[in-house]
mmCIF file of all heavy atoms in Angstrom:
data_model
loop_
_atom_site.group_PDB
_atom_site.id
_atom_site.type_symbol
_atom_site.label_atom_id
_atom_site.label_comp_id
_atom_site.label_asym_id
_atom_site.label_seq_id
_atom_site.Cartn_x
_atom_site.Cartn_y
_atom_site.Cartn_z
ATOM 1 N N THR K 50 -18.336 -3.357 6.157
ATOM 2 C CA THR K 50 -19.519 -3.730 6.946
ATOM 3 C C THR K 50 -20.278 -2.494 7.426
ATOM 4 O O THR K 50 -21.499 -2.504 7.517
ATOM 5 C CB THR K 50 -19.087 -4.581 8.156
ATOM 6 O OG1 THR K 50 -18.138 -5.532 7.689
ATOM 7 C CG2 THR K 50 -20.244 -5.294 8.789
ATOM 8 N N LEU K 91 -7.919 -14.068 8.906
ATOM 9 C CA LEU K 91 -7.185 -13.201 9.832
ATOM 10 C C LEU K 91 -8.075 -12.514 10.858
ATOM 11 O O LEU K 91 -7.706 -12.377 12.015
ATOM 12 C CB LEU K 91 -6.411 -12.124 9.047
ATOM 13 C CG LEU K 91 -5.258 -12.643 8.184
ATOM 14 C CD1 LEU K 91 -4.866 -11.633 7.119
ATOM 15 C CD2 LEU K 91 -4.042 -12.988 9.061
ATOM 16 N N TYR K 99 -19.861 -4.279 -4.560
ATOM 17 C CA TYR K 99 -21.148 -3.815 -5.081
ATOM 18 C C TYR K 99 -20.943 -2.335 -5.412
ATOM 19 O O TYR K 99 -20.592 -1.555 -4.519
ATOM 20 C CB TYR K 99 -22.228 -3.996 -4.006
ATOM 21 C CG TYR K 99 -23.663 -3.726 -4.443
ATOM 22 C CD1 TYR K 99 -24.260 -4.486 -5.448
ATOM 23 C CD2 TYR K 99 -24.411 -2.740 -3.810
ATOM 24 C CE1 TYR K 99 -25.577 -4.242 -5.836
ATOM 25 C CE2 TYR K 99 -25.727 -2.502 -4.180
ATOM 26 C CZ TYR K 99 -26.304 -3.255 -5.184
ATOM 27 O OH TYR K 99 -27.616 -3.019 -5.548
ATOM 28 N N GLY K 114 -40.917 6.383 -1.913
ATOM 29 C CA GLY K 114 -41.705 5.516 -1.009
ATOM 30 C C GLY K 114 -41.445 5.784 0.451
ATOM 31 O O GLY K 114 -42.251 5.422 1.319
ATOM 32 N N ILE K 119 -36.350 14.661 -2.944
ATOM 33 C CA ILE K 119 -35.102 15.121 -3.567
ATOM 34 C C ILE K 119 -35.464 16.149 -4.637
ATOM 35 O O ILE K 119 -36.221 15.842 -5.557
ATOM 36 C CB ILE K 119 -34.316 13.968 -4.220
ATOM 37 C CG1 ILE K 119 -34.080 12.824 -3.217
ATOM 38 C CG2 ILE K 119 -32.972 14.478 -4.770
ATOM 39 C CD1 ILE K 119 -33.435 11.577 -3.822
ATOM 40 N N HIS K 147 -36.032 29.940 -4.861
ATOM 41 C CA HIS K 147 -36.657 29.204 -3.748
ATOM 42 C C HIS K 147 -35.838 29.410 -2.479
ATOM 43 O O HIS K 147 -34.672 29.758 -2.527
ATOM 44 C CB HIS K 147 -36.689 27.706 -4.050
ATOM 45 C CG HIS K 147 -37.562 27.329 -5.188
ATOM 46 N ND1 HIS K 147 -38.895 27.014 -5.045
ATOM 47 C CD2 HIS K 147 -37.294 27.227 -6.516
ATOM 48 C CE1 HIS K 147 -39.407 26.740 -6.229
ATOM 49 N NE2 HIS K 147 -38.458 26.849 -7.133
ATOM 50 N N ASP K 150 -36.173 26.854 4.752
ATOM 51 C CA ASP K 150 -35.792 27.133 6.129
ATOM 52 C C ASP K 150 -35.652 25.807 6.857
ATOM 53 O O ASP K 150 -36.492 24.911 6.693
ATOM 54 C CB ASP K 150 -36.861 27.982 6.809
ATOM 55 C CG ASP K 150 -36.856 29.404 6.263
ATOM 56 O OD1 ASP K 150 -35.990 30.181 6.699
ATOM 57 O OD2 ASP K 150 -37.691 29.694 5.358
ATOM 58 N N SER K 171 -11.717 31.791 9.875
ATOM 59 C CA SER K 171 -11.075 31.813 11.193
ATOM 60 C C SER K 171 -11.259 30.514 11.968
ATOM 61 O O SER K 171 -10.506 30.234 12.904
ATOM 62 C CB SER K 171 -11.666 32.970 12.009
ATOM 63 O OG SER K 171 -13.076 32.814 12.076
ATOM 64 N N TYR K 176 -5.997 20.187 5.335
ATOM 65 C CA TYR K 176 -4.743 19.434 5.198
ATOM 66 C C TYR K 176 -4.832 18.744 3.857
ATOM 67 O O TYR K 176 -5.807 18.025 3.597
ATOM 68 C CB TYR K 176 -4.648 18.378 6.298
ATOM 69 C CG TYR K 176 -4.704 18.946 7.693
ATOM 70 C CD1 TYR K 176 -5.935 19.241 8.285
ATOM 71 C CD2 TYR K 176 -3.536 19.191 8.408
ATOM 72 C CE1 TYR K 176 -5.995 19.766 9.571
ATOM 73 C CE2 TYR K 176 -3.587 19.718 9.696
ATOM 74 C CZ TYR K 176 -4.818 20.000 10.263
ATOM 75 O OH TYR K 176 -4.865 20.518 11.531
ATOM 76 N N GLN K 205 6.350 -0.291 -14.230
ATOM 77 C CA GLN K 205 5.669 0.693 -15.074
ATOM 78 C C GLN K 205 4.625 1.504 -14.305
ATOM 79 O O GLN K 205 3.974 2.371 -14.880
ATOM 80 C CB GLN K 205 4.926 -0.024 -16.207
ATOM 81 C CG GLN K 205 5.821 -0.738 -17.180
ATOM 82 C CD GLN K 205 6.296 0.233 -18.232
ATOM 83 O OE1 GLN K 205 7.443 0.667 -18.187
ATOM 84 N NE2 GLN K 205 5.447 0.613 -19.158
ATOM 85 N N PRO K 258 -14.310 -4.134 -25.483
ATOM 86 C CA PRO K 258 -14.398 -2.697 -25.670
ATOM 87 C C PRO K 258 -14.771 -2.013 -24.340
ATOM 88 O O PRO K 258 -15.558 -2.556 -23.554
ATOM 89 C CB PRO K 258 -15.538 -2.526 -26.680
ATOM 90 C CG PRO K 258 -16.285 -3.800 -26.673
ATOM 91 C CD PRO K 258 -15.354 -4.881 -26.208
ATOM 92 N N LYS K 262 -14.421 5.088 -19.643
ATOM 93 C CA LYS K 262 -13.001 5.317 -19.408
ATOM 94 C C LYS K 262 -12.861 6.696 -18.809
ATOM 95 O O LYS K 262 -13.504 7.640 -19.259
ATOM 96 C CB LYS K 262 -12.264 5.337 -20.756
ATOM 97 C CG LYS K 262 -11.550 4.063 -21.090
ATOM 98 C CD LYS K 262 -10.519 4.201 -22.208
ATOM 99 C CE LYS K 262 -11.026 4.601 -23.540
ATOM 100 N NZ LYS K 262 -10.065 4.301 -24.626
ATOM 101 N N HIS K 288 -13.725 15.525 3.236
ATOM 102 C CA HIS K 288 -12.479 14.745 3.124
ATOM 103 C C HIS K 288 -12.426 13.932 1.834
ATOM 104 O O HIS K 288 -13.448 13.477 1.340
ATOM 105 C CB HIS K 288 -12.323 13.798 4.328
ATOM 106 C CG HIS K 288 -13.615 13.138 4.735
ATOM 107 N ND1 HIS K 288 -14.195 12.122 4.022
ATOM 108 C CD2 HIS K 288 -14.448 13.370 5.774
ATOM 109 C CE1 HIS K 288 -15.317 11.773 4.608
ATOM 110 N NE2 HIS K 288 -15.521 12.523 5.677
ATOM 111 N N LYS K 337 -7.994 7.930 10.426
ATOM 112 C CA LYS K 337 -7.448 6.554 10.336
ATOM 113 C C LYS K 337 -7.628 5.983 8.942
ATOM 114 O O LYS K 337 -6.761 5.271 8.434
ATOM 115 C CB LYS K 337 -8.109 5.663 11.401
ATOM 116 C CG LYS K 337 -7.659 6.012 12.805
ATOM 117 C CD LYS K 337 -8.234 5.054 13.827
ATOM 118 C CE LYS K 337 -8.451 5.756 15.136
ATOM 119 N NZ LYS K 337 -9.815 6.015 15.487
ATOM 120 N N VAL K 364 9.868 -2.611 -1.207
ATOM 121 C CA VAL K 364 10.184 -4.047 -1.277
ATOM 122 C C VAL K 364 10.272 -4.619 0.135
ATOM 123 O O VAL K 364 9.706 -5.678 0.417
ATOM 124 C CB VAL K 364 11.515 -4.269 -2.045
ATOM 125 C CG1 VAL K 364 11.928 -5.742 -1.991
ATOM 126 C CG2 VAL K 364 11.384 -3.800 -3.494
#
Side-chain angles (χ1 to χ4, degrees):
T50 316
L91 292 161
Y99 187 62
I119 306 174
H147 294 270
D150 289 281
S171 56
Y176 302 83
Q205 295 275 104
K262 260 196 298 199
H288 41 74
K337 290 185 211 107
V364 174

